[in-house]
Amino acid sequence: MTISNLRIDPDRLMARLRALGQVGALAGGGVCRLALSDEDKAGRDVVTGWMRELGLDVAIDAIGNVVGTRAGEENLPAVMVGSHIDTVRTGGLFDGNLGVLAGLEIIAVLNDAGLSTRRPVAVGFFTNEEGARFAPDMMGSAVHQGFLGLEEAYQVRGIDGVTVRDELQRIGYLGPEPVGQHRAHCYFELHVEQGPVLEEKSVPVGVVEGVQGISWTQYRIIGVSNHAGTTPMRLRHDAGYVAAAIACEARRIANQMGGDQVATVGVNELTPNLINVIAAEALVTVDLRNTDEEKLKHAEALMADFIETAARNEGVSVSSQVLARFEPVVFDREKVDSVERLADQLGHKTMRLPSGAGHDAQMFAPNCPTAMIFVPSRDGISHNINEYTAPEEVAAGGDVLLQLVVENALK
Ligand code: HGY
Ligand code: MN
Ligand code: MN
């Protein structure tokens, strides 16, 4: 078997994706494995079990990152692949899981071929990539790569009031490994695009050039609850109105700026949330993203100015908390070129694009040569139970990842 003829077994990979998808499965399809939940623990137990079956040396670090390593002929920094297995509340089978399970598939191919590599090959899944329960997102990989302190991460309280540390302890994944032990030689991540671009262009393999900047802010708006029927409009201090205005302004800013600018109000919780009560309080989150850091800062400034004015006019008070802030990241040119070259050699059409979503890879990029491979998302859908990528597209991305890993692990 020559190296260039090595291929993954897409049926085996799809079978693992479906099996893992049974953990935290939602009644109508899709998956819910919020970080550090019982479902996340169950998913972790399944994947670490597969790692051990494949003969990997499994290490769990103090933030719950799990890295399985296949020894190389020399004890050198590993060629690492990975992603995440935690999901949002309405997750699909592929977001994150594909990158981790494709890594295990590569290990299985190397084992089946009896191929030894000069460098170790490691497969990792990182704690709380989604950030949906505990902010920021990419938490585990940020700690792993030295961009977030372990104690700071431990203290983070989730949307349900519990801390990361307590939940790690509770599910048994507060590991013995000190964090930051696995400096990789290089890092690669296969991920679904989660957007419409590849499908619209009928391109099976995306050559990801970088990740756009991310800005997450939570606003707590304090108004005065009052009777919906008896309170004249001139006397209202309506937290719910300001929350709604923020959502409309976020959309207006994105439309006005155009280009890559996106804006989302994903959380809008009113208290007491009753039909005949003017809201006393609102909790609102604003997610702003742009590939250009200066434009992202401009969007943030427009949003902050609007909220200050709206609060003053409505007579409510607003406190804000930055939940996540990552500047745009550019991946290693040589490795990005490798992705394109290897996909071409495999006969797959490619196109270059930025990532609209955050990924663990962006935490590795400043520390080691890093690149990502995208495969299409049907209808551009993700963070949605209908997320889907066809087996032949999974195979294409997996084969490019395989060749990328072997090329770098042999030298
Ligand atoms: O929000 C994101 O981009 C990622 O899904 N954590
Ligand atoms: Mn993801
Ligand atoms: Mn995601």
Side-chain angles (χ1 to χ4, degrees):
M1 165 72 76
T2 60
I3 299 293
S4 58
N5 290 335
L6 282 175
R7 296 290 182 273
I8 69 162
D9 175 344
D11 296 339
R12 183 167 57 184
L13 175 49
M14 291 301 287
R16 283 202 206 272
L17 279 163
R18 280 190 291 271
L20 184 55
Q22 288 308 305
V23 181
L26 295 166
V31 191
C32 175
R33 291 200 303 268
L34 289 177
L36 307 184
S37 62
D38 290 339
E39 296 78 14
D40 184 26
K41 170 188 171 37
R44 286 165 168 266
D45 293 348
V46 166
V47 177
T48 47
W50 285 338
M51 286 180 168
R52 292 189 174 101
E53 283 171 18
L54 288 164
L56 299 183
D57 172 50
V58 178
I60 303 173
D61 76 10
I63 194 73
N65 295 317
V66 178
V67 176
T69 302
R70 181 178 193 262
E73 292 150 358
E74 299 177 39
N75 185 22
L76 295 167
V79 172
M80 187 180 285
V81 300
S83 196
H84 60 96
I85 62 170
D86 65 300
T87 76
V88 294
R89 204 171 264 144
T90 53
L93 296 191
F94 299 85
D95 178 359
N97 304 305
L98 175 62
V100 177
L101 299 184
L104 295 190
E105 174 55 28
I106 286 168
I107 299 296
V109 169
L110 297 179
N111 290 349
D112 295 348
L115 182 66
S116 65
T117 54
R118 176 178 177 235
R119 293 182 174 279
V121 177
V123 182
F125 63 81
F126 301 97
T127 296
N128 185 35
E129 187 280 343
E130 290 295 359
R133 183 184 181 199
F134 303 100
D137 53 348
M138 287 76 75
M139 179 185 277
S141 49
V143 172
H144 189 271
Q145 290 297 303
F147 297 107
L148 177 64
L150 178 61
E151 283 309 319
E152 184 181 347
Y154 276 165
Q155 304 313 318
V156 170
R157 281 195 184 280
I159 55 177
D160 42 18
V162 294
T163 65
V164 164
R165 184 189 173 80
D166 288 350
E167 285 294 90
L168 273 171
Q169 204 109 41
R170 184 181 68 80
I171 68 168
Y173 275 87
L174 196 162
E177 280 264 314
V179 294
Q181 297 303 300
H182 288 271
R183 285 283 180 259
H185 172 64
C186 51
Y187 178 87
F188 304 114
E189 185 165 351
L190 170 63
H191 205 287
V192 288
E193 178 206 334
Q194 302 180 289
V197 176
L198 293 177
E199 185 180 64
E200 282 173 355
K201 305 284 187 193
S202 304
V203 170
V205 175
V207 180
V208 189
E209 295 187 296
V211 179
Q212 69 177 342
I214 301 174
S215 163
W216 285 2
T217 308
Q218 175 179 278
Y219 297 96
R220 186 172 298 281
I221 305 160
I222 308 296
V224 178
S225 71
N226 212 328
H227 194 296
T230 59
T231 311
M233 297 313 287
R234 60 186 168 79
L235 294 182
R236 293 183 181 218
H237 306 290
D238 186 344
Y241 166 72
V242 174
I246 289 172
C248 294
E249 179 64 8
R251 174 62 65 91
R252 192 199 65 74
I253 289 170
N255 289 343
Q256 173 196 307
M257 290 181 64
D260 292 333
Q261 185 60 46
V262 289
T264 311
V265 168
V267 173
N268 183 349
E269 293 170 356
L270 302 185
T271 303
N273 205 37
L274 297 172
I275 187 166
N276 58 354
V277 180
I278 299 168
E281 186 173 326
L283 188 72
V284 177
T285 61
V286 176
D287 177 326
L288 300 171
R289 308 198 195 194
N290 199 304
T291 51
D292 179 300
E293 174 63 8
E294 291 315 305
K295 289 177 182 169
L296 183 54
K297 282 179 183 163
H298 178 59
E300 288 174 321
L302 290 175
M303 195 79 242
D305 291 349
F306 173 83
I307 292 172
E308 189 185 333
T309 306
R312 190 172 54 251
N313 294 344
E314 185 65 17
V316 299
S317 66
V318 179
S319 60
S320 66
Q321 180 187 356
V322 174
L323 296 181
R325 184 60 169 92
F326 300 117
E327 295 194 7
V329 162
V330 177
F331 290 141
D332 178 82
R333 176 176 299 280
E334 191 265 326
K335 297 305 180 201
V336 170
D337 291 348
S338 303
V339 170
E340 192 169 60
R341 168 174 50 81
L342 291 166
D344 291 346
Q345 284 168 8
L346 286 162
H348 299 307
K349 242 174 95 182
T350 64
M351 66 176 286
R352 291 180 175 230
L353 73 171
S355 173
H359 297 290
D360 294 309
Q362 71 189 83
M363 297 302 160
F364 282 81
N367 291 340
C368 70
T370 298
M372 286 188 76
I373 306 159
F374 273 172
V375 287
S377 293
R378 184 180 60 187
D379 302 332
I381 287 283
S382 184
H383 285 190
N384 177 311
I385 63 170
N386 296 314
E387 181 185 83
Y388 179 78
T389 297
E392 59 274 16
E393 294 164 334
V394 166
D399 284 337
V400 175
L401 185 69
L402 170 61
Q403 291 296 323
L404 202 51
V405 165
V406 171
E407 180 174 271
N408 285 278
L410 290 181
K411 60 184 178 186

